[in-house]
Amino acid sequence: MNVSASINVLRLLANPTLCLPHYTVSTFDQLPIPLSSAFNKHDTEKGPDIRAVVLDKDNCFAVPKQNTVCPAYSAKFDELRKAYPGSRLLIVSNSAGTSSDKGYQEADLLERNTGVKVLRHATKKPGCHAEIMSHFRNAPETGVTVPSQVAIVGDRLFTDVLMANMMGSHSVWIKDGVVPDHGLLSRVEKGLSGFLLRRGYVAPNPWSDFE
C-alpha cells in the first residue's frame, strides 16, 4: 500500500491543479531534448534552467514490472543520458529502490541495465521529494540548487505530477505509457485532469530560481 499517495492525494481537495502537468506527451520517445524546450511558452523565450531529470520507471520507459528500457525507447533513453549525464539523471520508482524492493535487488538490476542511478527512498512518491532534492544537493556536479531546476517525467498524475508540483519542479506527463492502462485509478486521473483543463485550469508555476 502506498500510504504517501493516499495521504498526499487529499491535497487535491484544496488545490486540484496540483495534478496538472506542465507538458504532456503520448509516449516516452516523444520527449523533447533538452527538456527545457518543453516549457517554452513562446518560441522567442528562453526555456527554464533544467539541470536534472527524474524518471519514473513503470509504464514510463519500461514495461510495468520489468527492469529494462523498452526497446522502442532505447534511442530516446540514450539521448536523455547524453543530455543529462551522470548524477543529472535519476530514476525514482515506487517499486525498485523502495521498502518493497527486498535488498534493493530490483534497483541494482535496473542500474546495471540502464546505467542510471536509482534512488533508494524510504517514502514512496509523491512524498519523497525531500529525498530527491537531497540526492541532487549532495551531487554538486549537477548544479541543482532549487526544485525548479528539476524536471519530473512519469505516467501518473497522482504520484509523479503531484510530486513535481508539490516540490516546485517542472512536470512532464507520459499520457499513454508503454502499454495501455485502463485501470480505475488511471481513468480517475485522466477524467479529473480533463475536467480541469476544459474549465481553464493550468498547472501551478514552478518555484522561481530566485526563491
Side-chain angles (χ1 to χ4, degrees):
M1 180 178 178
N2 187 347
V3 176
S4 172
S6 299
I7 293 173
N8 282 293
V9 76
L10 296 176
R11 295 173 182 267
L12 298 178
L13 296 175
N15 185 2
T17 65
L18 288 173
C19 74
L20 295 180
H22 298 101
Y23 191 75
T24 301
V25 295
S26 175
T27 53
F28 185 82
D29 58 336
Q30 295 179 1
L31 287 175
I33 306 294
L35 278 179
S36 57
S37 63
F39 310 111
N40 288 352
K41 295 182 179 178
H42 305 286
D43 292 338
T44 56
E45 288 185 1
K46 181 181 178 181
D49 183 16
I50 302 298
R51 302 183 182 184
V53 176
V54 172
L55 296 178
D56 178 40
K57 175 180 78 77
D58 290 333
N59 221 26
C60 178
F61 66 81
V63 174
K65 299 184 180 180
Q66 294 188 12
N67 291 304
T68 57
V69 178
C70 176
Y73 305 147
S74 293
K76 180 62 67 173
F77 196 91
D78 290 343
E79 187 181 356
L80 200 59
R81 283 185 59 194
K82 291 176 183 177
Y84 302 94
S87 299
R88 297 179 65 193
L89 188 61
L90 179 68
I91 296 172
V92 181
S93 167
N94 267 352
S95 53
T98 69
S99 58
S100 302
D101 180 11
K102 302 302 181 184
Y104 298 131
Q105 294 180 24
E106 287 190 45
D108 291 342
L109 177 60
L110 185 58
E111 286 180 338
R112 290 195 298 270
N113 288 338
T114 63
V116 175
K117 172 71 176 177
V118 177
L119 184 71
R120 276 66 167 171
H121 50 113
T123 304
K124 291 188 176 184
K125 295 182 291 186
C128 62
H129 41 86
E131 293 169 276
I132 291 172
M133 287 306 299
S134 177
H135 164 82
F136 288 127
R137 286 172 174 150
N138 288 328
E141 68 274 13
T142 66
V144 172
T145 57
V146 290
S148 61
Q149 295 166 334
V150 178
I152 312 290
V153 180
D155 72 306
R156 302 317 302 247
L157 295 175
F158 290 176
T159 52
D160 304 303
V161 171
L162 175 58
M163 179 177 71
N165 286 324
M166 285 168 55
M167 66 189 285
S169 296
H170 292 80
S171 59
V172 179
W173 181 32
I174 307 292
K175 183 177 181 181
D176 298 315
V178 184
V179 296
D181 183 354
H182 302 298
L184 177 60
L185 181 57
S186 177
R187 286 185 278 127
V188 169
E189 289 181 331
K190 291 177 179 177
L192 177 59
S193 66
F195 174 85
L196 294 171
L197 293 172
R198 287 192 298 272
R199 281 154 181 78
Y201 289 91
V202 296
N205 287 327
W207 299 345
S208 167
D209 290 353
F210 300 100
E211 289 184 350

